[in-house]
Amino acid sequence: MADPVHEADPIYPDLSTQPSAPEIPLEDQASDDEREKMFQELKKIEEEIATLRQVLTAKEQQASNLKKELGINAMGQLKAEINKVQSSQAYKKTQETLKSAGQATVGVFNTIGSSMSTKFSEMKNSPTFKSFEEKVEGVGTSIMAKVSGAPREGGESEATSPTDAEPVTKQPQHTDDVPM
């Protein structure tokens, strides 16, 4: 049985077992005449690259000037691109899909809202809630009676001294003996 790690793979050959090209210094590879020709060709290519850069810069400047004369600015270009995208089929399909998804979502929330409203109405009319409401109302009345000094529904006031029966209306002054 063949070892899968060392098996030959036609797509990804094992480069570690193949001999590498010997590294020969550049002087030994070409004669002096050939080297001179290569340097001349390199110089020519570099000059062409510089010329192409100059031409490209000039063309970009021409395009910029024409855009200014036509009133096309970055914002105008952006608007044109947006309009182009919005008129595409993919955008229209996506917009339709999102619209239908939004409508479905609204329907779900409406259903949830009406269901919750019904449940709250049922809960509010339940005997447990009414009992709780009465207890809270009684506690609130007791607190208000103590704060205002007014008699509770039973007719008795829980105030024990004249100062407890009067509501506090005066704020303490710095000259008063109030601990800070």
Side-chain angles (χ1 to χ4, degrees):
M1 183 169 192
D3 186 9
V5 175
H6 294 89
E7 230 176 76
D9 187 357
I11 297 173
Y12 301 106
D14 185 10
L15 299 177
S16 64
T17 59
Q18 297 184 6
S20 62
E23 294 184 25
I24 302 172
L26 188 58
E27 297 94 32
D28 295 342
Q29 287 183 351
S31 67
D32 288 337
D33 288 338
E34 289 174 343
R35 285 179 51 99
E36 185 62 32
K37 286 180 185 178
M38 283 190 257
F39 277 120
Q40 291 300 324
E41 187 176 353
L42 177 61
K43 185 178 177 183
K44 181 180 171 185
I45 291 172
E46 287 176 344
E47 288 173 357
E48 288 175 356
I49 290 171
T51 303
L52 290 172
R53 282 189 179 133
Q54 290 173 350
V55 170
L56 179 61
T57 303
K59 293 290 182 184
E60 287 175 338
Q61 185 63 40
Q62 275 182 317
S64 176
N65 289 339
L66 287 172
K67 285 178 183 179
K68 281 182 186 176
E69 289 177 18
L70 292 171
I72 301 172
N73 56 17
M75 186 58 90
Q77 287 178 315
L78 181 61
K79 287 179 182 177
E81 285 296 318
I82 289 173
N83 288 337
K84 190 167 78 173
V85 168
Q86 286 179 341
S87 64
S88 72
Q89 284 299 105
Y91 179 85
K92 289 177 182 177
K93 286 182 181 179
T94 303
Q95 187 179 25
E96 290 172 10
T97 303
L98 290 175
K99 185 177 179 181
S100 64
Q103 290 170 345
T105 304
V106 166
V108 167
F109 280 121
N110 284 338
T111 303
I112 291 172
S114 64
S115 173
M116 288 177 62
S117 177
T118 304
K119 292 293 181 187
F120 280 131
S121 294
E122 291 173 5
M123 186 177 76
K124 188 175 179 184
N125 294 327
S126 73
T128 306
F129 185 81
K130 290 203 181 277
S131 171
F132 176 74
E133 187 178 30
E134 289 170 2
K135 288 179 182 175
V136 168
E137 210 172 79
V139 169
T141 305
S142 295
I143 291 172
M144 291 303 293
K146 285 182 181 180
V147 169
S148 67
R152 291 196 317 177
E153 291 178 14
E156 296 179 16
S157 173
E158 290 187 9
T160 56
S161 69
T163 57
D164 288 342
E166 297 176 15
V168 176
T169 57
K170 181 181 172 188
Q171 295 294 324
Q173 301 292 323
H174 290 293
T175 57
D176 293 343
D177 292 330
V178 178
M180 293 201 159

